[in-house]
Amino acid sequence: LHTRLAGEDPTDVRWQGAMAWDWGSLGEVHALRGDSAAARAARAQAQGILRQLVENDPTNSEWRSELSWESFQLGRLAAESGDREAARAAWTEAAAAVERIGVEARPDAQAIRVMALLELGRYDEARPLVETLRAQGWDEPDFLEAVERAGL
């Protein structure tokens, strides 16, 4: 439905955003079913839509956060399939997408950034964000697991 609606009015960012969310969700389903190739393809569709949304509105923190999430997930999928180069590129994009968003405004985005930085081995850059998020009581399980695994 979102694909049809987005096609009818490609300027309506609500439908574009919903379509990106749909592709990301489909990627998650494929990943849970063990189909990494289909998961990567679906997440790449979401990432492409979100890149366009960010390009059209670079100040929109929601689009940046969603782009960061899809890029982070693509990094995970690439790493699982042994493609370290693609994983590093995806995690670099994930970290960069939300670099200028304040942790107070979007702690969720900064938690994604922390996880990407940790995957990239950039612990010194992640450490102050980890401390700030912990002080705010951020307790999202993926974030906590990544921080614990990194020994921070």
Side-chain angles (χ1 to χ4, degrees):
L1 175 64
H2 290 138
T3 302
R4 182 177 59 79
L5 292 169
E8 288 175 7
D9 186 2
T11 63
D12 189 331
V13 296
R14 294 172 303 164
W15 298 129
Q16 297 297 323
M19 193 167 58
W21 189 86
D22 289 348
W23 279 112
S25 296
L26 183 60
E28 181 69 18
V29 169
H30 286 306
L32 290 171
R33 297 186 70 178
D35 189 345
S36 181
R40 284 177 79 176
R43 293 253 186 220
Q45 287 285 343
Q47 183 188 49
I49 294 165
L50 290 161
R51 280 178 179 155
Q52 187 63 50
L53 289 168
V54 167
E55 183 179 312
N56 292 339
D57 184 2
T59 63
N60 188 310
S61 64
E62 180 181 349
W63 301 143
R64 287 188 164 282
S65 181
E66 292 298 323
L67 174 59
S68 182
W69 179 250
E70 291 304 332
S71 297
F72 180 75
Q73 292 299 327
L74 276 166
R76 278 186 170 173
L77 291 165
E80 288 171 7
S81 68
D83 190 347
R84 268 316 272 178
E85 187 176 321
R88 289 189 64 76
W91 290 326
T92 299
E93 182 173 3
V98 293
E99 185 173 8
R100 293 188 177 101
I101 298 174
V103 70
E104 294 79 17
R106 291 298 303 254
D108 59 326
Q110 291 308 312
I112 299 165
R113 183 166 183 247
V114 164
M115 293 187 299
L117 291 170
L118 294 176
E119 291 292 352
L120 292 165
R122 293 162 51 184
Y123 301 122
D124 290 340
E125 197 175 339
R127 188 171 282 110
L129 292 169
V130 169
E131 291 169 4
T132 300
L133 288 165
R134 279 187 170 151
Q136 291 180 349
W138 193 255
D139 63 355
E140 195 277 324
D142 286 340
F143 166 78
L144 293 175
E145 181 183 322
V147 169
E148 182 179 320
R149 198 171 48 248
L152 296 181

